[in-house]
Amino acid sequence: MARDINQRIQQLRTRRDGTRSMATDAYGLDATFAESATPAESWESRGQANQPYTRYALGSMQAVSDTYTRVSKETAFRVAKQLNERLGKRGVGAEFKLQGSVPLDVHIKGVSDVDLLALATELFSYDAHGAKALRGEYRNPAKRTALAVLQELRGFVEIDLQDAFPAAKVDKAGAKAVKISGGSLARDVDVVPAVWFDTAQYQQSGLASDRGTKILDKKAGTTIDNQPFRHIELIGTRCDRIGGGLRKAIRLCKNVKADSDRKIMLPSFDIASTMYHANMDALQLGIYFELSILAETQRHLDHLACDHDFARTLYVPDGSRLIFDTREKLLSLNELSRDMDELLDAVYAEHTPAHLAQHFRSDKRQVISKLAA
């Protein structure tokens, strides 16, 4: 937290603002005008004039405006509509779903990138050990492999995006997604070619949240199994049960990372997965004392940073892999934890006499958890 706190608050405002000046057609200009007219948010007047760290912490927890989120989704659906029409003319059936931070509501940018799954409907794959597979209910073998279908779909998506939005930039270098940005688009959209994957859980439950996908790793020439909707369901359900504290903790971590002077290479998915293992009872206190979310977030990150052996045992919510599966992620955990330590110390100092500043962090957490700010 070495950077000036007022600069951090300004960066937070800018990040949440959602104003985009690059729009060139009527759709983009209307969206930009509507967003830029939004008044100051409530968090900006919380805390006293001499408590900027408190204001920053509280602001970092808040959801992005519904207006900005709506424009993000509408932009993704606009891209989906163009792709659906153009792929259809090629005889390629597809359906489109959102994944990632926006549908989970843990995005921190008013102009947040949107992840759009483009799912080819020619085939789907399945877990051969699932109940339906064992009963022989998958009787029609696909004529092509998932890899072949995805490689073809990736090529079509790259061409069709450029044709549909000639003024936009289409970045084809990504291994998993084709990014389109600029031109008439009010948001950047990452289009991820995919096919459905019927997991064993989905075969048993039939729940949409249990259905997985296979996506293409273009650089490796392989497919990757994902369960994006299970991730959203698990985190969303756990958060709703405690009154919203989990999403606030995730946003807090992501904003602190965004403003950090340190090298923090933890992706959003892993940050969300990390906080999924925090103490939910402690986060639930945020219903009454919102700064208790800062206290629990600092405690949880500190615990993991001080005990890498334990951190290495934690899985992402759907159980598909370990969270901290590389040395780089553990080092990034340490750096994020240090930033959160400094934020906790600074917030505590704003609410207590100077002679109490040397209290242990466990004491500081107890004080902060009961502050009404």
Side-chain angles (χ1 to χ4, degrees):
M1 296 285 291
R3 193 180 303 151
D4 177 73
I5 185 58
N6 292 316
Q7 184 180 353
R8 288 179 182 269
I9 289 174
Q10 184 56 49
Q11 289 177 176
L12 178 62
R13 289 192 185 107
T14 301
R15 193 158 50 242
R16 296 174 58 82
D17 184 3
T19 301
R20 174 66 65 92
S21 61
M22 63 173 53
T24 57
D25 70 354
Y27 178 95
L29 288 174
D30 287 346
T32 301
F33 177 80
E35 292 172 345
S36 62
T38 303
E41 296 182 279
S42 61
W43 65 267
E44 298 184 61
S45 60
R46 295 181 67 179
Q48 303 300 316
N50 62 344
Q51 295 176 338
Y53 286 96
T54 298
R55 192 156 50 253
Y56 174 81
L58 292 169
S60 293
M61 299 176 195
Q62 308 310 313
V64 169
S65 162
D66 289 343
T67 299
Y68 301 159
T69 300
R70 175 182 56 78
V71 173
S72 296
K73 292 179 178 179
E74 288 176 352
T75 303
F77 294 145
R78 182 179 171 216
V79 170
K81 182 176 184 294
Q82 286 292 329
L83 282 176
N84 191 47
E85 292 174 356
R86 292 167 187 272
L87 290 171
K89 291 178 182 178
R90 298 178 183 276
V92 177
E95 56 184 304
F96 300 87
K97 302 286 184 181
L98 296 182
Q99 67 171 8
S101 295
V102 171
L104 183 54
D105 194 20
V106 294
H107 53 302
I108 62 171
K109 296 180 181 179
V111 291
S112 182
D113 294 3
V114 190
D115 285 351
L116 178 69
L117 283 168
L119 292 139
T121 56
E122 174 183 334
L123 60 76
F124 61 87
S125 53
Y126 58 89
D127 187 331
H129 301 289
K132 291 180 67 174
L134 293 174
R135 290 196 299 265
E137 295 185 27
Y138 295 111
R139 297 181 182 276
N140 298 318
K143 296 178 181 179
R144 294 196 294 165
T145 65
L147 178 60
V149 170
L150 287 172
Q151 288 174 327
E152 179 184 71
L153 179 61
R154 171 71 185 241
F156 289 157
V157 166
E158 291 177 355
I159 295 169
D160 289 346
L161 284 176
Q162 194 67 77
D163 290 345
F165 302 97
K169 177 183 177 182
V170 177
D171 183 353
K172 306 173 185 178
K176 302 171 186 176
V178 184
K179 179 183 287 292
I180 182 166
S181 59
S184 65
L185 297 174
R187 301 289 185 268
D188 298 350
V189 179
D190 291 327
V191 181
V192 183
V195 295
W196 287 113
F197 175 66
D198 288 5
T199 64
Q201 301 101 305
Y202 176 72
Q203 293 179 46
Q204 184 69 35
S205 70
L207 296 174
S209 59
D210 286 338
R211 201 174 194 191
T213 64
K214 281 185 180 291
I215 65 174
L216 174 68
D217 185 327
K218 180 182 177 180
K219 294 180 180 178
T222 59
T223 62
I224 302 170
D225 293 348
N226 276 346
Q227 287 190 269
F229 312 112
R230 182 69 175 154
H231 178 80
I232 292 170
E233 172 70 17
L234 289 169
I235 291 180
T237 299
R238 181 166 289 191
C239 181
D240 292 344
R241 286 173 180 166
I242 63 167
L246 177 53
R247 285 188 180 90
K248 288 183 178 182
I250 294 168
R251 295 186 202 111
L252 173 63
C253 289
K254 292 176 64 173
N255 276 301
V256 167
K257 172 194 169 183
D259 292 326
S260 179
D261 296 322
R262 297 181 166 98
K263 185 178 181 181
I264 302 174
M265 304 299 290
L266 280 177
S268 175
F269 185 93
D270 288 340
I271 288 175
S273 298
T274 299
M275 296 314 301
Y276 182 79
H277 295 282
N279 185 317
M280 294 300 115
D281 289 338
L283 290 180
Q284 190 170 20
L285 290 174
I287 296 173
Y288 311 103
F289 305 104
E290 204 164 9
L291 286 172
S292 65
I293 293 170
L294 167 61
E296 170 54 19
T297 301
Q298 184 276 329
R299 183 210 64 80
H300 181 56
L301 294 178
D302 182 63
H303 175 214
L304 298 181
C306 292
D307 190 348
H308 281 184
D309 288 340
F310 176 71
R312 290 190 190 96
T313 69
L314 299 182
Y315 280 82
V316 298
D318 66 20
S320 60
R321 66 166 174 83
L322 294 166
I323 302 172
F324 299 102
D325 51 1
T326 67
R327 180 174 180 273
E328 181 183 68
K329 288 183 182 179
L330 286 169
L331 294 177
S332 293
L333 167 66
N334 292 350
E335 298 300 273
L336 180 59
S337 177
R338 291 189 182 100
D339 269 330
M340 205 63 69
D341 290 346
E342 292 172 7
L343 180 58
L344 182 95
D345 290 346
V347 171
Y348 175 83
E350 289 180 342
H351 292 268
T352 56
H355 71 276
L356 297 177
Q358 299 305 313
H359 271 177
F360 293 112
R361 287 207 176 98
S362 58
D363 298 321
K364 294 178 181 181
R365 286 196 296 267
Q366 289 186 19
V367 170
I368 287 174
S369 293
K370 298 176 182 178
L371 289 175

